[in-house]
Amino acid sequence: MSRRAGFSLVELLVAMVAGLLVMTVFARLADRVLWHARARGERAGEISTLRIGATLLGRELDQGGVDSLAGPDLAVAGGSIDYRAPRGVRFSCRVAVDTIVVAADTAADWSSRAPAPGRDSLLLYLPGDSTSAIDAWLPLPLTATRTGVCPLGNPAVALITVLDSAAILGRRIPSETAVRVFESVEVRAYGTALGWQLGVEERSAGALIQPVAGPLLPGGFLVLPLDSAGGPAGQPSDVAALDVTLRAAPARWLAAALGSRGLLAHDSVRVEIGVGRR
């Protein structure tokens, strides 16, 4: 007798159930792999946000201080910091009425860009002399720049400012002294369509705020000014350090693209930036 080839209904049902079980296992494995990939991406994004923010704040604010003439270099108001952002250090070869001549080829200067009149300002160092040790920085505006020549004939840049002969004599300003170039900048957190960002606004340049690190959690930028004893500082002149906390948020596009599980736990960093007296 011949037997009919094929599958019985019971065998077909068993094969379908086994196939569904295998597909379920592979689907769960793929979901776990995607979730771990998203978690690693979110973690890397948060670490990058915190590293960029902490590096920026440390680089911009660690040169701040309090001076007897210029006053404090920074002020904390709520969740923002207004500060004198350093843009260069140069050395003068001649100081005259309304003019500070700085050598263009000196190897000891540092500058991120050329001084910009109307945007930048100056801090002129007053070392004093044998009879009067001033040891302070005199704030001055920068109204223009011109090409110049040092007394020895080497090329220079003339920084045009407001400085009369009485101030030069009374302050005993030497011809060779240090000149700091700075601009007024504010750093704060602000909300955008992509979430909260840590941004920098060059206020003296009239520029719009620009994002530098993010996304952050709402209220993810906290600043506490501290005095020399480690307690909250009451006045800007009492600030000896800044206790800064950044709280990063994971990128939402990763959450939408790589699975449907809950968001990764938020990460944060806390840094203390010293502010000295000059």
Side-chain angles (χ1 to χ4, degrees):
M1 296 177 63
S2 61
R3 300 184 62 183
R4 181 178 299 176
F7 300 98
S8 66
L9 179 60
V10 174
E11 292 173 330
L12 182 61
L13 290 175
V14 171
M16 292 178 62
V17 170
L20 288 175
L21 289 176
V22 173
M23 292 177 62
T24 301
V25 171
F26 276 104
R28 290 183 177 179
L29 179 61
D31 178 70
R32 182 174 294 273
V33 170
L34 289 175
W35 184 84
H36 281 292
R38 191 202 77 185
R40 288 195 298 269
E42 289 182 344
R43 175 71 173 172
E46 291 182 350
I47 292 175
S48 177
T49 294
L50 298 175
R51 181 182 292 113
I52 293 173
T55 301
L56 168 76
L57 294 172
R59 183 188 64 199
E60 289 280 275
L61 302 178
D62 65 353
Q63 299 184 47
V66 181
D67 186 75
S68 58
L69 288 179
D73 284 334
L74 56 86
V76 179
S80 67
I81 306 175
D82 295 317
Y83 62 97
R84 294 172 175 148
R87 294 298 178 255
V89 177
R90 296 171 179 259
F91 293 90
S92 66
C93 58
R94 186 169 66 90
V95 176
V97 175
D98 295 339
T99 305
I100 302 173
V101 182
V102 295
D105 57 350
T106 176
D109 66 353
W110 170 87
S111 180
S112 59
R113 54 172 173 78
R119 173 179 179 177
D120 294 333
S121 300
L122 307 175
L123 287 172
L124 183 66
Y125 181 59
L126 309 179
D129 55 20
S130 59
T131 61
S132 176
I134 301 177
D135 192 20
W137 294 84
L138 179 65
L140 296 170
L142 177 61
T143 59
T145 59
R146 301 172 185 168
T147 58
V149 179
C150 285
L152 296 180
N154 51 318
V157 177
L159 306 177
I160 310 304
T161 183
V162 179
L163 188 62
D164 57 25
S165 58
I168 296 175
L169 295 175
R171 300 288 188 182
R172 296 182 175 87
I173 303 176
S175 295
E176 298 180 357
T177 186
V179 183
R180 295 174 60 204
V181 181
F182 73 91
E183 66 175 318
S184 298
V185 173
E186 179 186 19
V187 58
R188 59 183 172 87
Y190 70 104
T192 68
L194 300 177
W196 286 85
Q197 306 286 328
L198 182 67
V200 171
E201 181 178 1
E202 297 172 341
R203 303 184 67 181
S204 56
L208 298 176
I209 190 168
Q210 298 293 326
V212 294
L216 302 176
L217 292 175
F221 177 52
L222 304 176
V223 185
L224 177 63
L226 304 176
D227 57 21
S228 57
Q235 302 293 331
S237 58
D238 298 332
V239 177
L242 295 178
D243 186 350
V244 180
T245 301
L246 289 172
R247 296 173 180 170
R252 299 295 300 184
W253 65 270
L254 284 172
L258 299 176
S260 58
R261 300 192 180 204
L263 294 176
L264 187 70
H266 304 132
D267 206 346
S268 63
V269 66
R270 183 177 178 181
V271 295
E272 184 172 305
I273 304 171
V275 179
R277 290 184 176 272
R278 294 193 306 271

